[in-house]
Amino acid sequence: MLYLLDYGAGNVASLANSLTSLGHSFKWVTKPSDIQLATKIIFPGVGSFDSALASLNKKGFAQPLRDYINQGKPYMGICIGMQALFQESEESTTQKGLGIINAKVAKFDNSNKAVPSMGWNGAALVREQGAGETFGTEGDTSYYFVHSYRVDYNQEGVKDWALTVTNYGGETYVSSVQRGNVFATQFHPEKSGKAGLEVLRRWLESDGVIPVEGRGPLRREEEVKKRMSDFGFTKRIVACLDVRANDQGDLVVTKGDQYDVREDSATTTASTSTDPSTTRQVRNLGKPVDLARRYFLEGADEIAFLNITSFRSCPLHDQPMLDVVRQSAETVFVPLTIGGGIRDTTDPDGTSRSALEVAGTYFRCGADKVSIGSDAVFAVEELLANEGRKTGKTGIETISYGYGAQAVVVSIDPKRVYANSLSEVPLSHRPTAVDLSEGVLLPGSSVPLPADLGPNGERYCWYQCTVKGGRELRDVDVVQLAQGVEALGAGEILLNSVDRDGSKAGFDLRLVSLVRRAVRIPVVASSGAGKWEDFQQVFEATDAEAALAAGIFHRREVPIESVKEGLRGKGVGVRRDLV
């Protein structure tokens, strides 16, 4: 019987959904004795090495799992499930690994790249092996990675275990291991589209044990390097679904124009009302689950749900939204982000709910990442007031520790504040002001920018952060916020623009470049896309890791595949899934 090991953190629902879609039944490991009952075990997970191994030991799973593996029974590990096989990790000073592989896990060097590594990358086979021995990793495709720590391929003893290697920012690391009864991947097959499902299918339909004897020789180093170069790290195209209840109480996908999600003109007969909300209907662009499924099939690399009215109530009582995440995760096998309401709340009966509890609920429903908005601004305000001292109690910090930095996205909603001269910019925000005149060159770019002056010809602006859906300004600039949330433990920034939202005028390149250079975590550019060339421009001019769009995808004005075809034609790497 196949068993899944749930150590209490991470999105195990995604793997469960993948197995179900492939027609395989399973049981959960709920007590140590279950491990010996298994004929196959999968150990999935995201999060920190420290919390994962601490949980394994606390639940009494660690030693039975070692015994199971040492008895030669089939084991598959995913992400933390692979890293746990090693002796130790730099991520923890207190917890040791299972010690199956005598090597250690270390952190990526973030001096020349964003960390976590978050996105789609290839996996190059290091040995000459038959197709039946590689569990599908020999294909010409990419897989989804999300991790800050990796296993250096050049460590002593590692090459005897490595099945594939991957390069990220000049570092070659082990992306999967296979020896005897052990197979494990650093990437997430359950989140890697059709290619990932094929990896799972091949392992599930095998006996899970590949004899060590007779393995082929190592491939030539030049051949492996070429493979890593041909199928390297790609840019991500993210489809965003703003979800809210319409006036009839149904959840719909909508899209705003500078955050206004109601139709431009009245569509009801209540013309005598003085309340605009009774005469201007919520813009309805489709049903959330149906659109998410459509975007998966059309090739979206990630899908983000933003619950834009969640500030009004506790999300744990928003059963329709939880159902949207749960149902989407059943048929969408790329990463899902859920935003809105990820904060400490109090139920009507007085029960306190922490941001960590809210996030955990979404993860158990099938989300891979949670997006924090207004609460991140308040947390950074507190951080600045405390001169950089962290409390350890903010939602960013608690979720990051429990599930890993890669599980925490911060959604930033900045708004331009124009100035005729730098002297008009408040002194504390002056270092982040940008020049809006014609001919400005962004760092690393040789293409001059066109003028983008203020409404009265102002040459400069700084970006002031907002909360509550852009309705309230705070005395924090976008760089302060971005660097603050990085310090608190966020793993990615979703960078919106109140000014460009719904404009189709292209991404605000000055804004994206400003933030991309200020942090060492991935940045997703958002707001303003109107054509596929806008994606090319933001990738080439700012080096953002991903770009997001909503309305142009919802209305099929610019199909996702058209964006990818255009980018491929310009030499920008994007994912191809199996057909």
Side-chain angles (χ1 to χ4, degrees):
M1 183 66 189
L2 173 67
Y3 274 77
L4 267 61
L5 195 155
D6 179 6
Y7 63 91
N11 178 12
V12 294
S14 293
L15 179 61
N17 289 329
S18 297
L19 298 178
T20 300
S21 75
L22 292 169
H24 289 267
S25 59
F26 58 88
K27 292 183 178 180
W28 295 100
V29 173
T30 59
K31 54 185 181 298
S33 58
D34 288 341
I35 293 175
Q36 284 303 317
L37 298 176
T39 55
K40 280 186 174 182
I41 278 183
I42 303 180
F43 178 7
V46 295
S48 73
F49 184 96
D50 187 85
S51 63
L53 270 297
S55 180
L56 280 186
N57 286 306
K58 182 178 180 180
K59 293 176 181 291
F61 292 164
Q63 190 55 49
L65 192 57
R66 288 190 191 93
D67 295 340
Y68 172 93
I69 295 172
N70 288 330
Q71 289 166 11
K73 295 182 179 180
Y75 170 93
M76 180 177 180
I78 297 173
C79 194
I80 288 295
M82 187 188 97
Q83 294 187 5
L85 293 169
F86 292 82
Q87 290 282 354
E88 59 184 351
S89 171
E90 287 183 356
E91 194 171 10
S92 176
T93 58
T94 60
Q95 301 294 326
K96 297 296 183 181
L98 297 174
I100 304 299
I101 305 175
N102 188 22
K104 73 174 186 177
V105 183
K107 190 169 186 177
F108 276 119
D109 175 11
N110 68 354
S111 64
N112 67 333
K113 56 184 174 292
V115 176
S117 165
M118 189 178 296
W120 299 77
N121 209 331
L125 287 169
V126 297
R127 287 185 180 275
E128 301 289 353
Q129 293 178 297
E133 298 174 316
T134 64
F135 302 120
T137 57
E138 73 283 352
D140 293 345
T141 188
S142 301
Y143 303 98
Y144 182 72
F145 293 81
V146 53
H147 56 120
S148 299
Y149 293 78
R150 84 293 182 266
V151 176
D152 185 353
Y153 177 60
N154 294 312
Q155 286 186 79
E156 184 178 353
V158 167
K159 292 182 180 179
D160 197 39
W161 282 87
L163 175 65
T164 63
V165 292
T166 296
N167 184 274
Y168 179 58
E171 295 185 65
T172 298
Y173 65 92
V174 177
S175 49
S176 67
V177 298
Q178 192 283 309
R179 181 178 171 87
N181 60 306
V182 174
F183 173 56
T185 63
Q186 181 62 67
F187 58 85
H188 286 267
E190 78 281 15
K191 286 296 172 182
S192 295
K194 296 175 184 177
L197 292 177
E198 178 65 7
V199 171
L200 287 171
R201 184 190 67 79
R202 291 268 287 270
W203 184 80
L204 290 165
E205 294 180 0
S206 74
D207 63 10
V209 180
I210 306 297
V212 175
E213 299 81 10
R215 289 195 301 174
L218 291 172
R219 289 183 168 182
R220 292 183 299 110
E221 184 177 347
E222 295 78 11
E223 184 180 356
V224 175
K225 285 184 176 179
K226 184 179 186 305
R227 181 73 178 182
M228 288 191 292
S229 175
D230 290 344
F231 296 91
F233 195 70
T234 65
K235 299 295 187 180
R236 287 176 282 148
I237 306 301
V238 182
C240 181
L241 291 79
D242 291 337
V243 180
R244 64 158 289 166
N246 62 15
D247 297 320
Q248 290 72 45
D250 302 318
L251 279 184
V252 299
V253 175
T254 188
K255 183 66 190 79
D257 182 359
Q258 294 190 325
Y259 292 27
D260 180 359
V261 299
R262 293 186 177 272
E263 297 287 2
D264 294 333
S265 59
T267 57
T268 72
T269 59
S271 59
T272 59
S273 172
T274 58
D275 181 3
S277 67
T278 65
T279 61
R280 299 171 59 226
Q281 293 291 301
V282 172
R283 195 172 288 117
N284 182 350
L285 297 177
K287 296 180 179 179
V289 176
D290 293 344
L291 278 179
R293 174 65 176 168
R294 188 189 108 195
Y295 292 142
F296 166 61
L297 295 175
E298 290 177 356
D301 298 315
E302 292 188 24
I303 294 170
F305 290 106
L306 300 182
N307 186 357
I308 60 176
T309 56
S310 60
F311 61 88
R312 296 175 181 170
S313 60
C314 176
L316 295 186
H317 294 282
D318 192 351
Q319 191 60 47
M321 192 64 207
L322 295 175
D323 288 341
V324 163
V325 179
R326 189 179 294 110
Q327 292 170 23
S328 297
E330 291 175 356
T331 59
V332 173
F333 302 108
V334 294
L336 297 175
T337 298
I338 177 69
I342 314 297
R343 65 186 191 281
D344 296 343
T345 61
T346 302
D347 289 349
D349 64 2
T351 304
S352 296
R353 307 285 187 180
S354 68
L356 180 62
E357 183 179 358
V358 174
T361 300
Y362 278 130
F363 291 141
R364 286 188 292 276
C365 287
D368 301 282
K369 297 184 280 188
V370 293
S371 176
I372 301 175
S374 297
D375 261 35
V377 180
F378 303 142
V380 169
E381 287 178 336
E382 183 180 21
L383 183 72
L384 294 173
N386 291 336
E387 298 180 335
R389 293 187 300 273
K390 294 181 281 188
T391 66
K393 298 178 181 180
T394 66
I396 296 174
E397 293 169 273
T398 57
I399 299 169
S400 178
Y401 175 76
Y403 295 96
Q406 75 286 333
V408 183
V409 181
V410 169
S411 180
I412 301 179
D413 297 319
K415 184 177 178 62
R416 284 184 173 192
V417 180
Y418 294 100
N420 289 301
S421 65
L422 289 175
S423 63
E424 294 180 4
V425 178
L427 188 61
S428 60
H429 306 305
R430 199 170 297 167
T432 69
V434 299
D435 189 341
L436 303 175
S437 61
E438 184 175 2
V440 170
L441 290 176
L442 296 177
S445 175
S446 60
V447 180
L449 294 180
D452 191 15
L453 304 177
N456 297 310
E458 296 94 341
R459 178 178 172 179
Y460 299 95
C461 80
W462 63 282
Y463 294 93
Q464 185 170 12
C465 292
T466 68
V467 296
K468 299 180 180 178
R471 290 185 301 279
E472 181 180 309
L473 295 168
R474 308 293 293 189
D475 189 23
V476 178
D477 65 54
V478 70
V479 171
Q480 289 174 321
L481 183 56
Q483 293 179 338
V485 299
E486 180 181 22
L488 289 171
E492 185 175 52
I493 289 172
L494 171 55
L495 183 59
N496 307 296
S497 166
V498 175
D499 306 280
R500 291 293 178 96
D501 182 56
S503 69
K504 301 182 186 179
F507 299 97
D508 188 337
L509 302 181
R510 290 170 172 84
L511 170 62
V512 178
S513 177
L514 178 68
V515 174
R516 177 78 288 268
R517 289 183 289 110
V519 296
R520 294 184 177 181
I521 57 178
V523 173
V524 181
S526 175
S527 306
K531 54 187 183 298
W532 76 260
E533 290 89 347
D534 292 332
F535 292 84
Q536 175 195 357
Q537 191 178 46
V538 76
F539 288 143
E540 293 181 347
T542 72
D543 204 29
E545 285 72 24
L548 173 151
I552 60 171
F553 293 158
H554 302 335
R555 303 182 186 97
R556 301 181 188 268
E557 295 168 353
V558 184
I560 292 172
E561 184 53 36
S562 295
V563 174
K564 290 194 169 186
E565 287 180 359
L567 291 173
R568 289 189 194 104
K570 296 296 183 179
V572 179
V574 289
R575 172 182 71 108
R576 292 181 185 271
D577 202 355
L578 293 180
V579 295

